[in-house]
Amino acid sequence: MNDRDEAGAGRAAPRKRADARRNERTLLDAAAAVFVTSGVEAPVRDIAARAGVGVATIYRHFPTRADLIIAVYRHQVEACAEAAPALLASGATPHAALGRWINLFVDFLVTKHGLAAVLRSDDAGFDTLHAYFLDRLVPACAHLLEAATAAGEIRSDVDAYELMRGVGNLCIGADNDPRYDARRLVALLIAGLRLP
């Protein structure tokens, strides 16, 4: 093999890894969307159809449903954490960015509620994921709150953890009552943060 062949081989491997990461993100995005609308017990074939892959592809990446749910959980935590600065940079106002971020957080919470049932037998695993959730999302929410406070848009006494707990509590009823609109109530909560 000559130097050019070796260099070419070296370039192909990172591209393949990038493709594999992109494919996994596509699977996780599809699974998250299906979980939001149908719950974490949704058929794998529905996730495969949404992702445009075969069921075997999902099982190759995620051998068990718990593996898939945990991966979706981590993926959504990262997406939510990474969205905060992007929304702040592109939003009309910091308060608007906060509202959009909270909508992402609500979608995440729908998936998270199902995760608890899946992991009941693994308290240590659930505790680890919950700590990861707090470590990544509380600072993201705090950043948005600080920006909205600095802009004079919201009250200055709002704590990120308390706000996130409040949003979480408002989302609990959405599982069992089709008339209950958690997103509407969360929007009222976010609107209530505004200064007169």
Side-chain angles (χ1 to χ4, degrees):
M1 182 182 282
N2 63 35
D3 291 339
R4 200 169 78 191
D5 290 339
E6 288 175 11
R11 279 193 305 270
R15 187 176 313 128
K16 186 174 184 181
R17 277 185 241 128
D19 288 346
R21 283 192 306 269
R22 190 169 37 257
N23 291 341
E24 186 170 304
R25 275 195 309 270
T26 299
L27 289 176
L28 293 174
D29 287 339
V34 170
F35 289 167
V36 165
T37 59
S38 304
V40 295
E41 295 301 324
V44 172
R45 70 179 173 278
D46 292 355
I47 297 166
R50 184 165 186 122
V53 300
V55 171
T57 300
I58 293 179
Y59 284 119
R60 188 169 52 251
H61 287 276
F62 310 104
T64 68
R65 182 173 295 274
D67 292 333
L68 177 61
I69 293 168
I70 290 167
V72 168
Y73 181 94
R74 287 183 160 275
H75 176 67
Q76 284 188 302
V77 166
E78 285 307 310
C80 211
E82 292 169 4
L87 290 170
L88 195 54
S90 66
T93 67
H95 183 264
L98 175 65
R100 290 179 57 205
W101 186 83
I102 291 292
N103 280 334
L104 294 174
F105 182 59
V106 168
D107 286 344
F108 166 75
L109 289 175
V110 171
T111 302
K112 182 179 180 290
H113 288 306
L115 177 73
V118 172
L119 292 181
R120 276 203 182 112
S121 62
D122 183 9
D123 289 340
F126 185 77
D127 289 345
T128 300
L129 284 175
H130 186 67
Y132 172 72
F133 160 84
L134 293 175
D135 290 346
R136 293 294 287 137
L137 296 186
V138 171
C141 185
H143 179 66
L144 290 162
L145 287 170
E146 289 163 8
T149 299
E153 294 181 302
I154 66 169
R155 304 163 40 140
S156 61
D157 62 345
V158 181
D159 176 76
Y161 178 76
E162 288 178 335
L163 176 62
M164 291 171 65
R165 284 291 303 255
V167 170
N169 288 338
L170 287 173
C171 290
I172 289 171
D175 294 346
N176 304 324
D177 186 350
R179 295 176 306 151
Y180 182 80
D181 186 354
R183 193 175 296 278
R184 180 178 174 280
L185 293 175
V186 169
L188 290 172
L189 172 65
I190 300 306
L193 297 177
R194 290 198 81 118
L195 288 172

